[in-house]
Amino acid sequence: MVRLVLTKQSQCAQSGRMPRKLRVQYPGAIYHVMSRGDRREDIFLDDVDRHDFLKTLAEACQKTDWQVHAYCLLRNHYHLVLETPNANLVAGMAWLQSTYTIRLNHRHQQVGHVLSGRYKAQLVEGSGNGYLRTACDYVHLNPVRAGLLRPEDRLLAYPWSSLPYYLAAPEHRPRWVRVDRLLGEHGLAQDSAAARQEFERRMEARRLEIGDEEGYEALRRGWLLGGEEFRKQMLEQMDGRLGEHHSGELRRETAEVKAERIIAEELGRLGWKEADLATRRKNDPAKLSLAARLRRETTLPIKAIAARVGLGTSKSANARLHATMKGNAPADSAQIRLAM
């Protein structure tokens, strides 16, 4: 059962309040998490800070049972791809970020925010269809994008990502780093020396493709990385739980997915095909009943409902729907109803 958590970020932009971030939590959820420094300032001042963050992350995993599929620490932000067996992303992130902030401030004798508070948590489909691989490969290749490696350096030369652990024997990895799912999505069934060598070869080949990465656009900008069916499932679960403080795009997507489900239900009940919505009259009582249900049960505007169901202009559709929903259908509709 998917449990939704709608959280209000603890910090706001100086220019005004920021929209709330949607946090979808359920057992086994996978996220691409990214958090930046406050005002994009550095969050790691030296290697001791980086070691301290990884120590804090290890403690967070012990407390929450998180499994980390990939991580990368950069100068003013970090990336994680993590799995939450216990549906506890929000609580775990609150502890991780606040604890690291306290420790860094104490060590450097400073005060104030370290992290922006508006961390990104993008859902990643873990079906084995390659979405986890896309997210993890993106994270592991960040040092190349950031210019932190010379062309002749191996990816292994960057010590602040989980990639070196993928190339190490199991006894040399921390328990909270999980490698089997990513290796599986690369088609490497066993965690053997040969498989690890092949994994490195593939990642070195992937670094040559940097600069031609259209496939990463959804990962950079979207709230979800996955297939259409996964997206629909998540949006269905969000229905009725979004408010004005959440993004307009997400609210529109949620309404559209629910509307399509309602339309499919009504077409099945009526024994109609999709084409019937276009060929039947604009004042067909069954069409008006379907449109009225969309009006009652979704946030789609009249214009969108009229276009989807085939009711003509939004002005005429609004009049017909108003009459239908009040129980005063036009006379010609009543006659059609008697003839059916």
Side-chain angles (χ1 to χ4, degrees):
M1 180 65 181
V2 176
R3 178 167 61 90
L4 299 182
V5 177
L6 309 184
T7 65
K8 186 175 182 180
Q9 294 303 318
S10 59
Q11 298 178 13
C12 300
Q14 290 184 347
S15 59
R17 301 184 68 82
M18 297 296 293
R20 293 184 186 180
K21 300 288 186 180
L22 183 70
R23 306 303 187 204
V24 181
Q25 298 191 126
Y26 59 94
I30 300 175
Y31 306 89
H32 168 222
V33 175
M34 194 273 287
S35 187
R36 294 189 181 277
D38 196 35
R39 301 183 183 89
R40 298 190 175 232
E41 295 176 351
D42 289 358
I43 61 174
F44 305 114
L45 305 183
D46 53 36
D47 285 351
V48 176
D49 292 340
R50 294 178 180 87
H51 279 296
D52 202 37
F53 180 86
L54 293 179
K55 174 178 176 288
T56 307
L57 176 60
E59 293 176 44
C61 291
Q62 185 175 33
K63 293 175 179 292
T64 61
D65 293 326
W66 285 354
Q67 300 166 352
V68 176
H69 297 285
Y71 71 78
C72 186
L73 312 186
L74 296 153
R75 180 176 53 80
N76 66 354
H77 68 286
Y78 68 82
H79 291 266
L80 303 174
V81 178
L82 60 87
E83 186 171 342
T84 58
N86 300 319
N88 53 8
L89 174 74
V90 173
M93 285 298 297
W95 187 89
L96 172 66
Q97 301 218 127
S98 63
T99 302
Y100 177 68
T101 294
I102 291 169
R103 290 173 176 177
L104 183 136
N105 281 342
H106 177 74
R107 197 170 82 82
H108 293 284
Q109 297 183 347
Q110 60 187 29
V111 296
H113 298 299
V114 173
L115 296 155
S116 69
R118 300 186 306 278
Y119 67 87
K120 175 180 180 178
Q122 180 184 48
L123 281 166
V124 178
E125 183 178 351
S127 62
N129 291 332
Y131 297 107
L132 176 64
R133 173 180 174 174
T134 296
C136 292
D137 288 359
Y138 177 83
V139 169
H140 283 147
L141 291 170
N142 261 284
V144 180
R145 294 186 194 88
L148 300 175
L149 290 172
R150 297 171 300 178
E152 63 270 22
D153 290 335
R154 294 167 62 187
L155 290 170
L156 182 63
Y158 189 74
W160 306 112
S161 86
S162 50
L163 184 67
Y165 284 129
Y166 274 84
L167 307 182
E171 60 267 24
H172 299 304
R173 296 187 201 119
R175 294 176 59 186
W176 48 272
V177 173
R178 181 176 177 182
V179 305
D180 61 305
R181 293 190 68 163
L182 176 56
L183 292 179
E185 290 208 0
H186 274 271
L188 304 171
Q190 294 185 338
D191 182 7
S192 63
R196 293 190 289 273
Q197 185 177 16
E198 173 62 16
F199 178 72
E200 182 181 16
R201 186 194 68 77
R202 294 185 184 191
M203 292 304 299
E204 291 292 349
R206 287 284 294 110
R207 76 185 289 180
L208 300 178
E209 301 171 9
I210 289 180
D212 182 22
E213 301 178 300
E214 293 182 6
Y216 287 138
E217 192 62 26
L219 194 146
R220 293 190 184 101
R221 298 181 181 277
W223 61 274
L224 174 146
L225 181 66
E228 184 61 20
E229 188 58 36
F230 180 67
R231 186 183 72 89
K232 288 180 178 179
Q233 290 174 6
M234 295 298 101
L235 288 169
E236 283 276 5
Q237 296 295 334
M238 296 174 196
D239 178 56
R241 300 175 184 260
L242 301 179
E244 292 181 358
H245 45 268
H246 295 111
S247 80
E249 180 181 1
L250 192 57
R251 284 183 280 124
R252 177 184 57 76
E253 284 190 68
T254 303
E256 288 174 352
V257 167
K258 183 177 183 181
E260 291 304 316
R261 175 178 58 79
I262 291 172
I263 291 169
E265 290 175 0
E266 291 298 311
L267 291 179
R269 183 180 64 80
L270 294 167
W272 288 10
K273 297 184 181 300
E274 175 70 29
D276 289 324
L277 292 176
T279 57
R280 289 182 177 262
R281 293 183 180 182
K282 296 180 178 64
N283 57 3
D284 185 295
K287 284 176 66 169
L288 289 170
S289 177
L290 190 162
R293 184 179 172 192
L294 292 176
R295 187 64 170 159
R296 285 193 304 269
E297 299 181 28
T298 77
T299 58
L300 285 182
I302 286 287
K303 184 177 181 179
I305 293 174
R308 181 65 182 87
V309 181
L311 296 181
T313 67
S314 56
K315 184 176 181 180
S316 61
N318 191 41
R320 293 190 185 100
L321 274 180
H322 183 70
T324 298
M325 295 176 77
K326 288 185 66 175
N328 298 319
D332 55 353
S333 295
Q335 294 170 1
I336 294 171
R337 187 181 298 112
L338 291 172
M340 289 179 66

